[in-house]
């Protein structure tokens, strides 16, 4: 009898008949309390059925609360000229309860749907973006956890994905702004050193204008590498046959990351040399 009531309750839940489902699920408890298992197999079977009933009670309660939230929200918004604030807050409470019930029932999808509905009210009705955004993102993560079941066609998941994309774009922009600010601060710090290298940088530009061969010969002759393990190129040994390899080795010898710990003038010089070498390398690739 208990299992028959349970199976009817599951079908009622699937048909969105949540009140009937709750009644049937509660009725399922009564036969179990009267049943006396005779062996360990029956004990395990009763325990499994009891756990399933409890789980589906939470799921049915979640669905019921979500429907109540939707009705409360409709009531709050049914007058175009004004908002029934009390009904809107009732909707918030119902959706919050729906999410909590679904969590107790370990129903990720219904929890995500309830959280999305809750976030929607907080965002669109009360304009509480700081509160709604974490809820959208939490629902989005729950949706991803449902893999391999795909949620991409579900409207609730699409709403969450839009918020997630927006927040990721903000984080990316913030990181870029921080990087740009750090670069500008470093350029400002190195400005005096760069101004002291006017002659050297002018000669570097002239050599680069003559081509990659002249550039490599110039930098190794005028500014021998200081990086550990170098130099990887000797100015007198650069030939047309070794030019491509020598260019890559020069980029390694003068790369700023391998030339830390020296004075500011050398750091600026390595940075400018690397810019010219990269420019020559790009020309080589597209030649």
């Amino acid at each position: 009898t208990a299992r028959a009531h349970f199976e009817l309750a599951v079908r009622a839940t699937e048909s969105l008949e949540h009140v009937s489902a709750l009644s049937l699920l509660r009725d399922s408890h009564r036969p179990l309390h009267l049943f006396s298992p005779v062996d360990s197999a029956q004990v395990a079977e009763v325990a499994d059925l009891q756990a399933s009933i409890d789980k589906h009670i939470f799921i049915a309660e979640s669905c019921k609360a979500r429907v109540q939230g939707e009705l409360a929200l409709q009531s709050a918004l049914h007058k175009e000229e004004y908002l029934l604030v009390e009904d809107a807050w009732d909707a918030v409470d119902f959706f919050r309860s729906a999410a909590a019930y679904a969590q107790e029932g370990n129903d990720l999808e219904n929890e995500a749907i309830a959280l999305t509905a809750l976030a929607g009210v907080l965002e669109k009705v009360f304009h509480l973006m700081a509160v709604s955004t974490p809820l959208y993102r939490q629902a989005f993560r729950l949706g991803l956890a449902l893999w391999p079941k795909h949620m991409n066609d579900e409207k609730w998941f699409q709403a969450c994905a839009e918020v997630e994309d927006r927040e990721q774009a903000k984080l990316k922009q913030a990181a870029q702004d921080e990087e740009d600010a750090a670069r500008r601060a470093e350029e400002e710090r190195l400005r005096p050193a760069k101004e002291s290298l006017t002659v050297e940088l002018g000669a570097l530009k002239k050599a680069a204008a003559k081509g990659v061969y002249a550039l490599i010969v110039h930098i190794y002759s005028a500014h021998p590498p200081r990086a550990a393990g170098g130099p990887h190129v000797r100015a007198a040994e650069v030939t047309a046959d070794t030019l491509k390899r020598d260019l890559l080795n020069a980029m390694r010898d003068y790369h700023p990351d391998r030339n830390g710990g020296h004075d500011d003038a050398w750091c600026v010089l390595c940075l400018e040399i690397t810019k010219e070498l990269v420019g020559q390398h790009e020309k080589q690739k597209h030649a």
Side-chain angles (χ1 to χ4, degrees):
T1 304
R3 186 168 294 280
H5 278 87
F6 173 68
E7 291 173 353
L8 287 172
V10 171
R11 287 197 288 273
T13 301
E14 292 171 348
S15 301
L16 304 181
E17 298 171 5
H18 309 305
V19 175
S20 297
L22 283 168
S23 177
L24 288 165
L25 287 165
R26 292 185 177 114
D27 287 342
S28 302
H29 277 299
R30 298 187 183 96
L32 290 178
H33 293 312
L34 299 174
F35 180 70
S36 298
V38 296
D39 55 35
S40 58
Q42 287 188 346
V43 170
E45 184 179 359
V46 169
D48 287 345
L49 182 55
Q50 182 68 63
S52 295
I53 291 170
D54 292 340
K55 173 185 172 72
H56 280 80
I57 285 175
F58 283 123
I59 293 172
E61 288 283 11
S62 174
C63 294
K64 175 184 171 184
R66 196 171 78 240
V67 170
Q68 290 173 315
E70 291 167 353
L71 292 173
L73 185 59
Q74 289 175 13
S75 175
L77 302 175
H78 85 288
K79 295 288 186 182
E80 293 184 2
E81 61 271 19
Y82 61 87
L83 168 72
L84 296 178
V85 177
E86 185 176 347
D87 285 350
W89 281 116
D90 284 344
V92 168
D93 290 338
F94 281 127
F95 289 140
R96 186 176 283 120
S97 295
Y101 279 128
Q103 186 179 53
E104 288 291 336
N106 196 30
D107 186 342
L108 300 186
E109 185 170 359
N110 273 319
E111 182 184 356
I113 293 171
L115 287 172
T116 304
L118 173 59
V121 179
L122 294 171
E123 175 197 10
K124 296 169 184 174
V125 176
F126 295 107
H127 309 292
L128 298 173
M129 298 290 290
V131 182
S132 66
T133 296
L135 295 172
Y136 277 124
R137 300 189 74 186
Q138 183 181 351
F140 179 76
R141 291 191 294 272
L142 289 172
L144 294 180
L146 291 166
W147 189 89
K149 184 177 181 180
H150 293 289
M151 297 289 106
N152 294 336
D153 293 332
E154 300 292 336
K155 289 184 179 180
W156 68 265
F157 187 76
Q158 293 169 0
C160 295
E162 287 180 8
V163 173
E164 183 67 21
D165 289 344
R166 183 186 70 209
E167 293 304 306
Q168 289 296 331
K170 285 182 181 178
L171 290 173
K172 184 177 180 180
Q173 186 59 54
Q176 184 62 55
D177 291 344
E178 184 178 349
E179 183 180 328
D180 292 343
R183 187 186 69 253
R184 288 192 297 270
E186 181 66 5
E187 289 174 352
E188 188 62 28
R189 188 184 72 79
L190 294 175
R191 184 189 297 276
K194 187 172 183 178
E195 291 174 349
S196 71
L197 293 170
T198 303
V199 175
E200 290 85 348
L201 297 181
L204 178 66
K205 290 287 185 184
K206 288 182 180 178
K210 295 178 182 177
V212 61
Y213 176 83
L215 175 61
I216 293 176
V217 171
H218 170 76
I219 59 177
Y220 278 94
S221 300
H223 312 292
R226 299 181 188 178
H232 292 88
V233 178
R234 299 186 184 280
E237 298 175 358
V238 178
T239 67
D241 294 333
T242 64
L243 203 55
K244 184 176 181 179
R245 183 193 65 198
D246 292 338
L247 177 57
L248 295 174
N249 283 330
M251 292 169 68
R252 181 166 51 172
D253 281 339
Y254 291 96
H255 196 282
D257 290 348
R258 300 191 69 224
N259 284 274
H262 297 288
D263 57 88
D264 288 349
W266 180 254
C267 292
V268 170
L269 197 56
C270 286
L271 181 62
E272 296 302 319
I273 288 173
T274 299
K275 288 179 183 178
E276 296 296 343
L277 291 171
V278 170
Q280 293 293 338
H281 186 251
E282 289 297 315
K283 290 179 182 178
Q284 292 283 314
K285 286 199 303 184
H286 296 97

